[in-house]
Amino acid sequence: MNIKHKLLIFLMSTGLAVVAQVTPADLVLRGGTVYPAPGVRAIHDAVVVIRGGKIAVIGKSKNVRVPRSATVLDCSGKVIVAGFWNSHVHFTEDIWSDPQGTAVKAGNSCVTCLEVVHMRDMLTRWGFTTVWDLGSDPQKTLSFQHMVDSNVIPGPKILMAGSIFPKEGHPVYLPAEVRLPEAATPQEAEKMARGYMDMRLDGIKLFTGAYMGRDKPVINMDTAIVKAAVDVAHAEGKPVFTHPQNHVGVDNALAGGVDILAHTIPTEGSFTADELAQMKRQHTALIPTLTLWTTVTSNVDAQKQLVQAGVDQVKAYASQGGTILFGTDVGFITKYDTAEELEYMGRALTWSEILASLTTNPAAFFKASSKGRVEKDMDADLVVLEGDPAVDVRNFAKVAWTVRAGKVIWAAVGKK
Ligand SMILES: [Zn+2]
């Protein structure tokens, strides 16, 4: 933040900013406490005025006269933060193939269509305004992306990565009948990556470690294959994620220049000191997916151990200044409520660091400079929380309203 920004926020927090103009068509969030960004002082009894999908005015209630005709959300007693990112989701559940969805696809609004209901249950009611789909059928996800972008389905901005697997590395948990793109050589990986870039996908996801089942060795992707795909994506300025699975999967990914580890690796104990140092040096980001580890075994003690190992890995990397991005693998897992993930993350991070993982970290990492902060001229992607996350991090899951590009895409009012 530059001096000008700091001065502006100071003036607003002291109520010295000029009385702002509000027009009748504006959406106004009045009376809440705004946390503009992690580490930035809160604005109490604030007003946020949204116009044309952007934050037009932010200040103290007493300085902003709101016309009666403006749409006002009463945020008294509530907390306003920037819209959340979930940097690891999937649109793969059967529920996304809804026969009723034809009404939506035909361009009619359909509030009861499963796609609409499901987008809400899985994502918008938890505050997500931007998500990364790390591997689904690209054609399907692109069609959801289109329906959301054309306002047929209220939803988050969807970014999509295309997957590449190692040869004979069809993970045991993915349906056997689906043919997966497996690369045996760097040339094949390069071709697949180019294909995804031609489809205008937003990134690539590699399985540098594929889980083949209990007592079977993990199939890893060679570094040369990793690098071939990474080079194609990076030439287009696009990021590469990996599902690492084990140490070799982490090491080959790092050696090949991958940008984001899409999971922790709790079956492997800890990251090594060399891995942590290399991650830091290469500015690699880490997505915890801690709740996922409660779903991979029915043994409760084993679940606890896996979660704790994941927590320790997040802590180890964050304590060295490594970038953490919030992500849950929702859509693969069916626990939609984010409270559990937040609680686990709270064992490794402060509430402010968790806010960063949901907002400023992904916005900076994925170069979305108009997102991640509640400031004038930023995108009006906002979450209104019922409780203060500084008091209890699970309050990040208690969402009263989700606003994306100035439109309310989730409202808890009148709903359970
Ligand atoms: Zn996943």
Side-chain angles (χ1 to χ4, degrees):
M1 187 165 29
N2 60 31
I3 296 287
K4 226 170 106 187
H5 266 116
K6 279 189 179 150
L7 182 65
L8 192 65
I9 285 168
F10 172 74
L11 285 173
M12 285 169 172
S13 63
T14 54
L16 292 172
V18 289
V19 172
Q21 290 295 317
V22 181
T23 65
D26 293 339
L27 174 65
V28 177
L29 276 55
R30 184 167 58 191
T33 294
V34 174
Y35 289 122
V40 177
R41 199 203 297 190
I43 306 168
H44 299 285
D45 193 15
V47 163
V48 181
V49 179
I50 296 163
R51 188 177 305 150
K54 298 276 181 185
I55 297 172
V57 178
I58 174 165
K60 299 283 259 181
S61 274
K62 62 183 178 192
N63 296 331
V64 182
R65 192 175 306 127
V66 178
R68 272 195 196 162
S69 52
T71 305
V72 178
L73 303 182
D74 179 7
C75 298
S76 317
K78 297 182 170 58
V79 164
I80 302 166
V81 289
F84 296 157
W85 292 59
N86 190 331
S87 298
H88 192 155
V89 312
H90 295 276
F91 292 100
T92 43
E93 285 182 88
D94 286 347
I95 207 156
W96 292 106
S97 310
D98 166 31
Q100 279 188 65
T102 47
V104 175
K105 285 171 194 111
N108 306 319
S109 65
C110 177
V111 287
T112 58
C113 286
L114 285 182
E115 281 120 331
V116 173
V117 173
H118 199 54
M119 193 69 86
R120 199 173 64 200
D121 291 350
M122 185 169 116
L123 297 170
T124 59
R125 68 159 296 171
W126 309 108
F128 296 115
T129 54
T130 310
V131 299
W132 265 102
D133 181 343
L134 298 191
S136 303
D137 174 349
Q139 294 304 346
K140 258 192 193 170
T141 297
L142 288 173
S143 96
F144 291 136
Q145 196 183 51
H146 178 71
M147 287 190 275
V148 171
D149 290 348
S150 50
N151 291 318
V152 176
I153 295 181
K157 179 179 174 60
I158 300 168
L159 300 164
M160 163 92 205
S163 299
I164 302 176
F165 295 81
K167 187 73 191 157
E168 281 159 15
H170 187 125
V172 70
Y173 49 81
L174 293 181
E177 66 279 9
V178 178
R179 231 177 87 89
L180 299 173
E182 297 178 6
T185 63
Q187 290 73 21
E188 283 180 16
E190 185 186 332
K191 201 172 159 211
M192 287 171 187
R194 279 195 202 290
Y196 288 136
M197 295 298 105
D198 290 346
M199 290 170 75
R200 306 184 66 104
L201 298 192
D202 305 286
I204 305 273
K205 189 219 195 153
L206 304 174
F207 281 72
T208 56
Y211 180 68
M212 307 308 289
R214 237 178 216 261
D215 309 323
K216 288 192 181 156
V218 169
I219 304 283
N220 289 111
M221 184 180 275
D222 289 344
T223 299
I225 296 177
V226 176
K227 193 170 181 312
V230 166
D231 286 349
V232 171
H234 284 183
E236 305 260 341
K238 293 186 174 172
V240 182
F241 297 76
T242 184
H243 173 112
Q245 193 66 41
N246 62 6
H247 281 299
V248 178
V250 170
D251 299 344
N252 290 4
L254 293 175
V258 158
D259 306 287
I260 306 117
L261 305 185
H263 299 284
T264 45
I265 50 164
T267 53
E268 299 279 281
S270 320
F271 289 121
T272 66
D274 282 351
E275 284 169 343
L276 289 168
Q278 195 176 1
M279 284 158 68
K280 188 73 208 307
R281 205 165 53 239
Q282 296 181 193
H283 306 288
T284 314
L286 173 65
I287 302 176
T289 66
L290 300 170
T291 309
L292 171 66
W293 310 132
T294 67
T295 69
V296 296
T297 166
S298 54
N299 180 321
V300 176
D301 288 337
Q303 290 176 10
K304 282 185 183 157
Q305 278 174 16
L306 289 172
V307 169
Q308 194 53 47
V311 166
D312 291 342
Q313 290 173 1
V314 171
K315 203 172 189 172
Y317 192 41
S319 68
Q320 297 192 9
T323 299
I324 309 295
L325 306 175
F326 185 92
T328 53
D329 215 351
V330 71
F332 177 70
I333 65 166
T334 51
K335 288 184 180 181
Y336 300 148
D337 188 339
T338 53
E340 187 176 343
E341 183 76 11
L342 291 161
E343 188 191 329
Y344 296 146
M345 286 179 82
R347 298 180 191 173
L349 306 173
T350 65
W351 81 271
S352 187
E353 289 170 326
I354 296 174
L355 177 61
S357 80
L358 285 158
T359 58
T360 44
N361 287 355
F365 199 86
F366 299 116
K367 301 182 178 65
S369 58
S370 62
K371 296 189 187 296
R373 316 172 80 87
V374 191
E375 285 173 10
K376 187 174 174 344
D377 298 331
M378 299 293 274
D379 288 356
D381 290 1
L382 301 163
V383 185
V384 182
L385 301 170
E386 296 283 4
D388 189 344
V391 174
D392 182 343
V393 294
R394 287 172 300 186
N395 284 334
F396 279 122
K398 294 188 181 136
V399 177
W401 288 286
T402 305
V403 178
R404 184 204 158 202
K407 292 201 172 69
V408 175
I409 57 171
W410 157 255
V413 183
K415 299 193 179 84
K416 281 255 162 135

